[in-house]
Amino acid sequence: MSIDRKKVVYALAAPFGAFVLAVAVAGLALLVSGKNPFVAFKQMIIYGGTVDSLITSINEALPLFVSGVAVAIGFRTNLFNIGVEGQYRLAAIVAAVVGAELPGPGFLRIIMAMAAAIIVGAMYASIAGLLKAYRNVNEVIATIMLNGVMTGLVAVLLKWDLIASIKDQQLRTSRLPKSAWFPSVTFGGSELYLWVFVAIAIGIGYHYLINRSRFGFELRASGINPGAALAAGVNPKRMIVKTMALSGAVAGLVGMPLLLQRQHEFTQQFQQGLGFAGIAVALVGRQKAAGMAAAALLFAYLTRASQALTSPPTRGTKEIGTILQGTMMLAAVVAYEVVRRRAEANAIHEAAHRAAVQFDEVPA
Amino acid sequence: MTENADKRAAGDAGGPFVITGTDAPQAAPYAIELRDIVKRFPGVVANDGVNVAVRPGTIHALIGENGAGKSTVMKILYGTQRPDEGRIEVNGVEQHFKSPKDAIAAGIGMVFQHFMLADNLTVLENVILGAEPGKGVKIDLRSARETLTQLAAANGLEIDPDAFVSELGVGERQRVEILKVLFRGARIIILDEPTAVLVPQEVDELFVTLRELTSTGVTVVFISHKLDEVLAIADDITVIRKGKTVATAIPSQVTARDLAQMMVGSELPSAATRTATVTDIATLKLEGVTMNATARGSRPLLDNVSFTVHQGEIVGIAGIEGNGQTELLKAIIGIDRIDGGSISIDAHDLAGISTSDRREMGVGYIPEDRQREALLLPSPLWENAILGHQRSARFGKGMWIDQAAARAYTEQIISSFDVRTPSVDTISLALSGGNQQKLIVGREMLADPKVLVAAHPTRGIDVGAQAAVWDAIRDARGQGLALLLVSADLEELLGLSDTVLVMLRGRIVAKLDPAKVTKSELGEYMTGAREVAA
């Protein structure tokens, strides 16, 4: 099957090319700062290859992946949800309170916490969806503003003594009981978060919902051609609200592996920036479930491996990890566009050829 | 190709109506002479031996089916594409056009089918746009105005240079386009399907203009597939088929039927419906439908529109584009809301019923603008084939789409409507406009609609495929389809319809019997020159 092979080559050529370019740019940056890039990369590979590093990479990839899925849902219908950041942090603090304060056995607390996160994320994102659908407010502006509102909301909530108090000089929500910690398994002294199965389920669910369901078809159709979707019976306003709510619901889950497996409480220091990282994951992973999983793993690995650059002889160059990630994202987006155009030109050529051949076959 | 076709092709070349005008002794050199032009695209030969000789000061028609290679010839003449082989001579001098600039320099001008005018500028401003006379940054408007007035007077293209283009009608806009190329010094004008957008009266006016142009020595190349018009206006005709020039003819010695045979190697299909199948069951009924204008103070988009389409009936809507046809179709399918009156199907009022529910009630829709309203260009054909029917039980259970069923449906469309595509997975962007249109018509027709509202169902598709679409429409009508047909192709409209309604400024101004009305009478109703009580 030569066509299939061609497709595979097309699909892999772009990310691979982007990676090579990223390594080259990072190498150049190292050279400029007077370090030997080969030494640095070797350090990264050795450190990144340890069992501890690999497991940490997987754990760290979980929120990145979920965030990527949340952003991707919006992308598929041409909505840019920059507000994943605000949605997951607001969802996380509510989930932390629900998980810690409500009575019940551990597994029920986990379920309640995750449900709360989904609902809060969906509701918070819906604000932007409703504004877009019924007041024509650009969703990028609305979600960015809502991120700002979130910062304030979280600060106020942490000051509320019903749900948070100062411990070790920090405002914290109550700690989830041990029974409400999501299980993990230990490999060579490192804990692998079993929340990975939830992430896999989210990925599979995303894939089938978007690509196989009637709803996903309508969602994609609205993204590709709103006019045609309208003529096909898709209500564009309702589709915007639904998509934003769904994106927000998934966004709500971004903080869950952190809350349920690592922190078990919400503090002002609860990890930030995952919402923005999700945009990069969605772009590099081309909004495909497997692609985003690979991108999330790669990004997490690069972050982890660049920790090696905090020790001699290349101390002080750990930003190389960020350079690698940033370059990859830019290069991948450009490369995908190039590949897409090539594929399109190929398809047009093939169809024209087919039409011409059949033209000759038509009996006069 | 079959043996018969070969014989027929040979017959064309040596037939009684073929005049070998190119061999006649000629005093002046040809205005344009193309010799043995070959243009290949990867995998396809678009032009394979094109020979055209255009006598100066004449109107030369270039005819052929869609995809026969007319537009490639045109692009080569205008310098947007370069031939792989062959020779181009303009007024006896060999030319190698690298860009339209070279073609303009050689005195060739082009008027495209879709006008390229800035609505918010005046006629004068549009004409000089890109060729502003004057020194430095200052435009010499006075000399431009003089030149324009002279050109207009000399060529019978009367027009107010200070009128805004947005206020002009289609025919006038076309005149501005012609003035634009004359202003740039063109003595040879290529017109690409110039009558496609005109009503019959405007066509007559255009022909008068073209005659005046040639009388002042301008040469006109007229690209068309409307045979009656070609016969009415051309001095010489060159026929292109499958990338080759297969015949030349002069109008006094051929009929439209002869030309059609040369073009496609088969008889002209007819749009005429055979037997009446109209029942007295009212399927689609509009009563006093009104849609207000978006801008305050303008006339309503739809003004008290009432009519009924019965089961097994085809009601045709004639009208110049922009007189409410688009809004009428959108109101019926539920995209646009109406402000008054009612629309009902089988006596069910559609008020408050969504587009998707209307579709499930059996309303099919072939929109006017296929790129913007009917297709997902980057998606495979099978997804395009179920668009609008994505909720139908036919394509899946519960919340999931049954891909196998969708693919089988697509295959059925492909074979029934002769959609030329490598596979059902090809993206719809890759197909030619005609094949895209066949896919859209196919997906609506094969879904067995009860009511179909269709705009220009055969626009841009070949004569052969057009016949297939007409057959499908007739069959569906025989089985009880109620069809509301909007078409700019008056022959199609008169041939298929059981009743023809004329729309003007949002109102139905005439109800006509297609068997008793001529195209030119219809044109008069469309422009408002003739009126009856509807």
Side-chain angles (χ1 to χ4, degrees), chain A residues 208-209 212-214 217-218 220 224-225 227-228 230-233 344 347 349 351 353-354 358-360 362 364, chain B residues 5 42-43 242 335 356 359 371-373 375 378-379 383 388 390-392 396-401 403 420 429-430:
Chain A
Y208 278 94
L209 187 71
R212 296 292 171 86
S213 76
R214 297 179 202 259
F217 181 76
E218 293 189 346
R220 283 183 292 126
I224 294 168
N225 188 344
L230 184 62
E344 222 171 73
H349 169 208
H353 186 72
R354 182 78 183 123
Q358 285 180 349
F359 200 58
D360 286 341
V362 172
Chain B
K242 295 180 192 173
I335 294 173
S356 84
R359 282 206 172 257
Q371 304 254 326
R372 279 170 62 181
E373 282 196 285
L375 291 171
S379 301
E383 288 198 341
Q390 70 273 10
R391 297 197 192 168
S392 145
K397 279 188 210 133
M399 67 180 288
W400 305 108
I401 283 174
Q403 285 199 13
R420 287 161 192 183
L429 174 79

Side-chain angles (χ1 to χ4, degrees), chain A residues 106-168:
Chain A
F107 77 92
L108 199 65
R109 287 167 182 259
I110 291 176
I111 292 171
M112 295 296 287
M114 297 219 311
I118 289 172
I119 292 167
V120 170
M123 282 173 49
Y124 203 56
S126 295
I127 298 173
L130 289 166
L131 284 172
K132 164 106 178 172
Y134 297 101
R135 283 291 172 269
N136 207 17
V137 177
N138 186 303
E139 80 282 5
V140 174
I141 309 287
T143 50
I144 288 177
M145 299 240 191
L146 285 168
N147 283 345
V149 173
M150 174 278 300
T151 311
L153 264 177
V154 165
V156 168
L157 286 173
L158 278 176
K159 288 252 161 95
W160 190 15
D161 49 17
L162 265 181
I163 62 172
S165 54
I166 295 186
K167 254 178 272 160
D168 300 331

